[in-house]
Amino acid sequence: MENKKLLAAENHKNGCSCSQAVNLAFCDVTGLSAEAAKEEAAPYSKGAKIGCGAYMAAQLVLDHAAPADKKDAMKAEMEQQFTVKIGSTACKEIKEKKLRSCRGCVEDAAELLQGILEANR
């Protein structure tokens, strides 16, 4: 699997929101088209759903890609790892406490998600 951290960061640099950048980086895993991935992730941008958009997109990817019998565990693992690395999954808290930049959250979410997916093949 190609380096999703770099791909997600490039997507973000090229104008995708945080959630779109992560979801788009995993199109090969989810089977979504680029347009469908951007559209699906759009409602999670800029903390619109309270959670960090990059984190929320990682959960979307797991909804598509995780085996049914491992999905809940993989989603819980993503939440745990993201919380440990960043300090929160809430966009507002991450920004207010300056825990991590949006680009940093995109990179971390993609890197953690890639590790979880590879460990659960």
Side-chain angles (χ1 to χ4, degrees), residues 17-87:
S17 70
C18 50
S19 58
Q20 290 172 326
V22 172
N23 212 30
L24 185 59
F26 287 86
C27 282
D28 62 324
V29 175
T30 63
L32 294 173
S33 69
E35 193 55 41
K38 287 183 194 178
E39 186 175 321
E40 178 183 64
Y44 300 97
S45 300
K46 299 177 182 161
K49 300 290 185 186
I50 301 176
C52 165
Y55 164 76
M56 298 299 291
Q59 295 290 354
L60 287 173
V61 170
L62 290 171
D63 281 337
H64 290 287
D69 62 333
K70 294 182 177 182
K71 187 178 296 189
D72 289 343
M74 290 170 73
K75 290 179 84 170
E77 183 177 357
M78 182 67 206
E79 181 176 5
Q80 189 270 335
Q81 287 187 26
F82 193 87
T83 301
V84 167
K85 186 155 193 159
I86 305 296

Side-chain angles (χ1 to χ4, degrees), residues 1-16 18 20-26 100 103-115 118:
M1 190 182 299
E2 65 188 305
N3 187 320
K4 300 300 187 181
K5 176 181 177 176
L6 296 177
L7 184 56
E10 191 66 23
N11 292 339
H12 193 252
K13 179 181 167 187
N14 290 330
C16 286
C18 50
Q20 290 172 326
V22 172
N23 212 30
L24 185 59
F26 287 86
R100 194 79 164 109
R103 178 84 40 86
C105 287
V106 165
E107 292 172 347
D108 291 344
E111 182 176 51
L112 294 171
L113 178 57
Q114 183 170 8
E118 289 176 350

